[in-house]
Amino acid sequence: MVSLSLNNVKKRFGKTEVLHGINLEINTGEFVVFVGPSGCGKSTLLRLIAGLESISEGELRIGDGRVNDLSPRERGIAMVFQSYALYPHMSVYRNMAFGLRIDGDRRDEIDRKIRATAAKLHLEPLLNRKPGQLSGGQRQRVAIGRAIVREPRVFLFDEPLSNLDAALRVRMRIEIARLQKELRTTTIYVTHDQVEAMTLADRIVVLQGGRVEQVGTPISLYHQPANRFVAGFIGSPAMNFLPATLVDADYRSCAINVAGHRVSGIPRLGGMIGQSVTLGVRPEHLSLEPCEGLALDGQVESVERLGDITYLYLSLNGDTENLLTVAQKGDHALARGAAVRVHAPHTVLHLFDAGGQALQNTV
Amino acid sequence: MIKQRGFPFHILVFILPGLLIYTLFSAWPLLDTLLLSFFEESGDQRVYSGLANYRLVLTDPDLSAGFWNALGNNGVFFLVHVLVQNPIGLLLAALLSLRNLRGVRTYRTLIFMPTLLSVVIIGFIWQLILSPLWGVSETLLGYVGLESLFDAWLGKESSALLTLALISVWQFVGIPMMLIYASLLAIPDELLDAAHVDGASPLRTFWQIKLPLIAPTLGLVTILTFIGNFNAFDLIYAVKGALAGPNFSTDILGTYFYRTFFGFQSSLGSSTLGATVATLMFLIILAGVALYFYGVQRRLQRYPM
Amino acid sequence: MNSNLQRGINTSLIHLVLGLYTLVALFPIFLILVNALKTRKGIFNDPLALPTTDTLSFEGFQKVFSQSDFLLYFSNSLIVTLVALFFVLLLGAMASWALSEYRFPGRRILTLFMAMGIMVPIRLGTVSILELMVSLELVNTRTALILVYIAQGLPLAIFILTEYMAQIPKELKEAARCDDVSEYRLFFQVVLPLTRPAIATVAVFTMIPIWNDLWFPLILAPGEGTRTLTLGVQQFIGQYVTDWNSVLASLTLAVIPVLVLYLFFSRQLIRGLTAGAVK
């Protein structure tokens, strides 16, 4: 069941268009994460959905109705802000009650809802405190509580974890995931952190330059990026890109020339023989162990040993500007300058055309 | 090698010139004035007279009436500012700080303009405008059908003080407006977004979110108004002269101080009595400031935003 | 419901209120400027009209310039304001630097002592100031005014500049000290340039009350030769109170310089006002 849909939604500030026609459908109970580099329009899109910015063109529907002209309250959304935006002069209790009182709920009803929510988030001992007396993590939980208590149709999160330290961020991430599974409320979550996106999302929407680059489950984005941008954005360390030429192709497979090697049997099609393409291969898919498929000869320029994993940076054909990143499991003591050969199987190779689009597997 | 430092002469060089001028021409005269209020002139000599001057100013049947009258008038003058100037300043600031409003810069620049002009100039300008001779005010009131209300407000004992206070309000409304405007701008946008998402109307946001958050600034504006008002002189002097007529109905502490010090008409001025009045003004201002710091400011919590 | 329409109405209402108040704020000044350029008849027949060829007249201005030493008053005001301003900024910045940078015994008390001058109006010490000036033989000199105005301006200047200077990054000062720069050169060549924005704010706050003051010129320097513009206009109007042309012209002459300056510096001033209050 569709809970929220965007139909060719555009946003202009003056003459500058910052969102160029967004189309998206979000199902009831789904956890959707908007991710992208800063300035990609993800926060603006969230604010459009919240009703904090007006929609210049297109249609936004929540439930059955068009909500373009409705206020945030009428849309039935609740939002958690990056700075938490708790009212500093009100106690935690009053912060949570503020919206309910405006809704005109009865006093005992408000009290019941707040106590229930507080129990869920372990906020009971904090109810009479002011935000200034809370730690960062506590404020974050209050902000979430303030959103939950409204019992909204859609939760909106705007980079809610970016002001927390690393350890707390992991804990809150797990907490948010747990709550969402428990409440089954449709959730839209904006972040620039791809780990948050990968771990929280049912589906990820990758945005860039005010456009949707790809929508899909975290794993499908990882394995089948639709274009070079998504391929480079998802995954850490980022995917290696190498210039290549398509030299042969038949019904099932093709062959390319890359860095002086011919690689055949790549199960991808599309493109024309002689065409310049880009080969993409993730660092964690490259291995020192020989296997059928891609083989590259390089020279070790730099080694980072983390104990459980070793990062190698290789120059190919003496090119020290564009180093190839290799993530090798285990500890490897390789000397700088050593010549190595790395391998990757056919199945993990990605090909992109000159425009950056993935060459589709037509099999 | 750490250089062995001698006496830090540079600190003295930095601080002494300013400290000297401030002490000599501000702090010392103030202290001297306080001391002078315990002396009286006797021929060429000044002799210690204890609290005699205060008794004279505060309780003497002939002299004290002037002081109490001036104090009362000053109270009214201050009250008009608190009740008219600061609410108007708040209203203007609240409107100016609304998001996405065009022309804010022009409005605030123009509304602040009168504040920059000399009180003397402002006094004369309004004297002309309110003059029945010229008739500008009557004509303007006529446009809205109220010309019958017009009167020589500045000349009447019953309305002169109020009129002068309103002129002062007109001139200085820019200051509370700016201070409040700045503190409204300091409220984070996300907080107002949160209120909007919670369904709060602009009016409710103003009363329940913005106003409590700028309460410390409102307190500050009030105490600044207090200090300014109980130290005012120029406007009354420019419009009404040292006699603060009609019949002392516009006399405030500043003009009363001036007359006591320099004398007027037949009565001679007195340095020591002047000093006494100045000391009383000092004590009043001090009391106001103390009340603000210990009574008001403590309760008006400043919240980290 | 149509929320766009509602919003439009609200916005119009806000502009109406602000526009009306702007009119209230400007109208009296406008009235003076316009009528100063009219004949006596024009002033009284239709005060609200702009000058026409019939009513245009510079009679008042001629009178002001011939009957009073207007240019002298103006230059007195200018000298007193600028010299006092210069010393408030220089001495204020120096003292602020000492108070914010060096730890020495009595620093807190000294800071408090200077801050007192913000709350306690210097006017209350007038009796003693006058006696002091008499004994220094400075009555009826511009020097007397300048000294008093420096003392008046220093507390606020030091208050604002101390806060500002405390925020100058330590690294900048330490880098200079590592190069063995003397404390004086450090102040004049590193600190002072960095403090420029705050100094501009202080300048505006210091200048206006000095230029507009009536009290001290009246008491310390009422003589013809040292009269400031504000005092001069006040006395001129007292003398020619029924001569409307002259009165309006002298008011206009007193207003114009301030308006011109304001139009140049309004952005700076308002930024200073709003920035100072945020803290």
Side-chain angles (χ1 to χ4, degrees):
Chain A
M1 200 176 88
V2 175
S3 155
L4 185 146
S5 69
L6 293 148
N7 193 352
N8 197 30
V9 165
K10 293 183 180 174
K11 176 64 185 174
R12 284 181 287 268
F13 290 112
K15 284 190 175 140
T16 340
E17 191 170 278
V18 294
L19 292 174
H20 316 281
I22 305 285
N23 291 297
L24 191 64
E25 290 200 336
I26 295 171
N27 296 320
T28 305
E30 199 175 15
F31 198 128
V32 171
V33 174
F34 292 173
V35 69
S38 59
C40 70
K42 57 189 189 293
S43 279
T44 306
L45 185 56
L46 192 76
R47 291 173 63 82
L48 289 187
I49 295 170
L52 291 169
E53 300 279 356
S54 63
I55 294 169
S56 306
E57 205 181 309
E59 191 184 54
L60 170 67
R61 304 178 72 88
I62 295 178
D64 319 316
R66 176 190 150 100
V67 299
N68 285 39
D69 297 319
L70 297 189
S71 71
R73 181 166 62 130
E74 293 161 331
R75 292 179 190 199
I77 58 103
M79 187 155 170
V80 176
F81 294 88
Q82 184 171 5
S83 66
Y84 318 137
L86 300 176
Y87 311 121
H89 57 299
M90 296 183 191
S91 66
V92 170
Y93 187 95
R94 285 191 55 210
N95 260 285
M96 291 168 78
F98 186 68
L100 298 176
R101 289 201 183 144
I102 293 170
D103 289 346
D105 286 10
R106 290 217 332 265
R107 200 164 279 267
D108 54 337
E109 180 69 2
I110 291 175
D111 192 64
R112 189 190 59 73
K113 283 182 183 172
I114 291 176
R115 306 249 167 235
T117 307
K120 235 175 260 167
L121 287 158
H122 315 294
L123 291 174
E124 292 112 322
L126 308 179
L127 283 177
N128 291 319
R129 296 220 201 142
K130 299 251 168 83
Q133 302 164 297
L134 303 178
S135 70
Q138 288 171 330
R139 279 182 219 178
Q140 175 67 73
R141 292 221 305 277
V142 174
I144 293 173
R146 185 174 66 177
I148 289 178
V149 84
R150 301 294 308 276
E151 294 166 4
R153 290 194 284 180
V154 184
F155 275 132
L156 305 177
F157 288 87
D158 188 9
E159 308 229 12
L161 304 184
S162 54
N163 287 344
L164 298 178
D165 65 52
L168 207 50
R169 212 177 309 167
V170 174
R171 276 194 10 223
M172 283 311 298
R173 203 170 75 202
I174 294 168
E175 177 112 1
I176 289 174
R178 175 184 69 83
L179 276 170
Q180 204 270 342
K181 291 285 163 289
E182 211 174 289
L183 298 166
R184 304 195 161 279
T185 307
T186 311
T187 300
I188 303 177
Y189 185 108
V190 163
T191 180
H192 63 269
D193 180 350
Q194 53 148 316
V195 179
E196 273 173 38
M198 296 293 283
T199 50
L200 286 171
D202 293 325
R203 276 195 303 159
I204 293 178
V205 178
V206 183
L207 286 146
Q208 195 215 359
R211 288 175 217 283
V212 173
E213 293 285 346
Q214 191 173 1
V215 183
T217 63
I219 290 306
S220 73
L221 257 52
Y222 179 84
H223 289 301
Q224 289 117 31
N227 52 50
R228 216 182 127 162
F229 175 78
V230 175
F233 191 79
I234 301 288
S236 171
M239 184 184 275
N240 294 297
F241 294 108
L242 301 163
T245 316
L246 202 63
V247 290
D248 199 3
D250 63 22
Y251 296 114
R252 280 159 293 154
S253 65
C254 64
I256 56 169
N257 266 348
V258 58
H261 289 269
R262 181 185 163 100
V263 185
S264 55
I266 302 174
R268 292 290 147 105
L269 273 182
M272 292 168 15
I273 292 169
Q275 181 186 354
S276 291
V277 293
T278 302
L279 170 72
V281 57
R282 296 193 183 278
E284 59 271 30
H285 291 149
L286 287 165
S287 165
L288 295 167
E289 308 288 325
C291 72
E292 182 93 359
L294 174 72
L296 293 168
D297 291 315
Q299 194 173 19
V300 177
E301 295 293 332
S302 172
V303 184
E304 291 173 353
R305 294 165 66 187
L306 303 182
D308 61 332
I309 198 160
T310 304
Y311 293 114
L312 306 173
Y313 300 93
L314 310 179
S315 60
L316 302 180
N317 300 325
D319 176 6
T320 53
E321 286 297 306
N322 306 300
L323 296 179
L324 185 79
T325 311
V326 179
Q328 186 72 27
K329 278 229 177 61
D331 189 16
H332 301 267
L334 279 164
R336 192 163 175 268
V340 293
R341 169 171 283 198
V342 290
H343 308 265
H346 292 130
T347 49
V348 299
L349 302 180
H350 302 268
L351 289 180
F352 305 97
D353 65 19
Q357 294 304 307
L359 292 180
Q360 296 299 311
N361 187 350
T362 52
V363 177
Chain B
M1 267 292 285
I2 294 172
K3 257 188 292 181
Q4 198 63 45
R5 290 192 187 217
F7 184 77
F9 279 107
H10 57 272
I11 299 184
L12 285 184
V13 173
F14 280 128
I15 212 164
L16 267 186
L19 184 66
L20 227 70
I21 293 186
Y22 170 72
T23 310
L24 200 59
F25 295 100
S26 177
W28 164 248
L30 199 70
L31 186 71
D32 190 46
T33 302
L34 302 189
L35 293 175
L36 198 56
S37 69
F38 298 108
F39 287 82
E40 63 183 17
E41 316 261 354
S42 158
D44 280 351
Q45 296 260 304
R46 278 184 180 156
V47 290
Y48 179 74
S49 63
L51 293 171
N53 288 331
Y54 290 93
R55 231 169 280 140
L56 216 56
V57 171
L58 295 176
T59 61
D60 183 85
D62 296 330
L63 274 172
S64 67
F67 175 79
W68 294 112
N69 172 53
L71 182 62
N73 287 342
N74 221 146
V76 172
F77 195 69
F78 171 60
L79 221 61
V80 172
H81 281 80
V82 170
L83 295 180
V84 182
Q85 172 189 273
N86 296 352
I88 292 179
L90 177 63
L91 172 73
L92 293 172
L95 294 181
L96 285 178
S97 68
L98 289 175
R99 285 186 284 180
N100 306 322
L101 192 71
R102 280 160 191 270
V104 168
R105 183 173 290 162
T106 313
Y107 283 130
R108 63 180 191 200
T109 304
L110 295 179
I111 291 176
F112 194 71
M113 197 134 84
T115 308
L116 292 174
L117 298 176
S118 165
V119 181
V120 175
I121 310 301
I122 297 295
F124 284 123
I125 289 179
W126 278 98
Q127 217 176 341
L128 296 184
I129 291 174
L130 294 175
S131 161
L133 264 179
W134 200 9
V136 173
S137 311
E138 223 175 333
T139 314
L140 286 178
L141 282 172
Y143 287 149
V144 283
L146 293 174
E147 69 263 52
S148 59
L149 282 182
F150 181 76
D151 206 343
W153 287 310
L154 273 175
K156 296 222 160 161
E157 222 175 294
S158 58
S159 58
L161 180 64
L162 187 67
T163 310
L164 283 167
L166 288 175
I167 292 172
S168 173
V169 164
W170 172 83
Q171 171 165 25
F172 289 117
V173 78
I175 292 176
M177 177 186 86
M178 281 299 178
L179 292 175
I180 297 170
Y181 171 69
S183 68
L184 283 170
L185 287 190
I187 297 176
D189 280 348
E190 279 204 343
L191 213 56
L192 304 179
D193 284 342
H196 189 41
V197 168
D198 267 341
S201 64
L203 221 55
R204 187 190 280 264
T205 308
F206 178 76
W207 286 113
Q208 297 192 352
I209 308 287
K210 291 182 182 176
L211 209 55
L213 290 178
I214 61 163
T217 305
L218 297 182
L220 181 73
V221 164
T222 310
I223 189 62
L224 289 180
T225 310
F226 180 82
I227 297 175
N229 284 168
F230 276 86
N231 177 36
F233 165 78
D234 302 30
L235 178 68
I236 313 281
Y237 184 78
V239 177
K240 289 289 161 191
L243 282 175
N247 191 24
F248 300 113
S249 63
T250 57
D251 199 21
I252 58 174
L253 290 174
T255 42
Y256 178 71
F257 171 36
Y258 182 84
R259 280 203 318 278
T260 316
F261 182 21
F262 284 98
F264 61 102
Q265 289 176 337
S266 55
S267 48
L268 280 172
S270 153
S271 302
T272 51
L273 279 184
T276 309
V277 175
T279 306
L280 287 169
M281 291 169 73
F282 173 74
L283 291 176
I284 291 169
I285 290 176
L286 205 66
V289 172
L291 189 76
Y292 165 70
F293 274 114
Y294 292 101
V296 183
Q297 201 204 24
R298 270 191 195 173
R299 256 164 251 165
L300 297 179
Q301 216 174 324
R302 205 171 265 284
Y303 298 100
M305 288 189 272
Chain C
M1 92 200 64
N2 192 331
S3 63
N4 279 337
L5 186 67
Q6 181 69 38
R7 211 173 300 149
I9 292 172
N10 286 344
T11 309
S12 314
L13 262 174
I14 291 164
H15 281 293
L16 189 71
V17 173
L18 288 173
L20 272 179
Y21 195 86
T22 308
L23 216 62
V24 170
L26 294 187
F27 179 74
I29 300 166
F30 165 81
L31 203 63
I32 297 307
L33 300 188
V34 164
N35 283 292
L37 295 168
K38 293 201 245 176
T39 57
R40 196 179 160 79
K41 232 177 163 180
I43 296 170
F44 279 98
N45 284 352
D46 193 354
L48 301 182
L50 291 172
T52 62
T53 43
D54 265 355
T55 57
L56 185 70
S57 154
F58 297 101
E59 191 186 325
F61 292 97
Q62 284 157 0
K63 189 92 160 253
V64 173
F65 282 111
S66 66
Q67 302 289 323
S68 76
D69 234 334
F70 190 85
L71 288 177
L72 175 71
Y73 303 158
F74 186 79
S75 72
N76 281 338
S77 272
L78 207 62
I79 291 170
V80 168
T81 307
L82 290 183
V83 175
L85 180 65
F86 173 78
F87 281 107
V88 167
L89 297 179
L90 178 70
L91 304 184
M94 281 164 53
S96 305
W97 171 241
L99 290 174
S100 69
E101 176 67 9
Y102 306 116
R103 299 283 168 268
F104 55 90
R107 189 179 64 95
R108 279 182 58 92
I109 298 205
L110 220 52
T111 310
L112 210 67
F113 175 61
M114 301 298 291
M116 249 178 48
I118 303 175
M119 285 293 182
V120 183
I122 190 172
R123 278 182 189 183
L124 298 181
T126 306
V127 176
S128 303
I129 291 177
L130 181 58
E131 285 183 0
L132 185 65
M133 291 302 175
V134 170
S135 63
L136 293 172
E137 293 183 1
L138 286 174
V139 173
N140 272 331
T141 61
R142 289 183 288 254
T143 315
L145 290 178
I146 290 170
L147 286 170
V148 170
Y149 288 142
I150 297 173
Q152 172 186 299
L154 277 174
L156 187 67
I158 291 177
F159 182 74
I160 296 177
L161 293 178
T162 311
E163 287 228 331
Y164 194 87
M165 283 180 181
Q167 290 163 7
I168 293 178
K170 232 189 190 160
E171 290 78 5
L172 280 174
K173 298 179 251 177
E174 279 167 358
R177 288 204 177 108
C178 285
D179 292 342
D180 240 348
V181 171
S182 79
E183 292 298 311
Y184 303 108
R185 279 190 59 175
L186 173 66
F187 173 72
F188 283 104
Q189 296 187 356
V190 178
V191 175
L192 217 47
L194 285 172
T195 319
R196 267 221 301 264
I199 287 182
T201 302
V202 172
V204 175
F205 282 122
T206 308
M207 209 159 56
I208 295 167
I210 297 178
W211 180 271
N212 285 338
D213 190 36
L214 178 65
W215 177 265
F216 283 115
L218 185 64
I219 289 166
L220 298 179
E224 174 71 25
T226 52
R227 233 171 254 177
T228 61
L229 186 61
T230 306
L231 181 61
V233 168
Q234 194 265 335
Q235 309 223 315
F236 178 84
I237 291 177
Q239 230 173 331
Y240 291 89
V241 81
T242 51
D243 184 346
W244 285 63
N245 292 90
S246 311
V247 169
L248 287 165
S250 62
L251 287 177
T252 303
L253 287 172
V255 167
I256 293 285
V258 181
L259 286 196
V260 170
L261 265 179
Y262 182 50
L263 290 183
F264 275 107
F265 292 109
S266 64
R267 190 173 295 186
Q268 179 73 52
L269 173 121
I270 284 167
R271 198 185 307 142
L273 268 172
T274 44
V278 170
K279 279 172 197 156

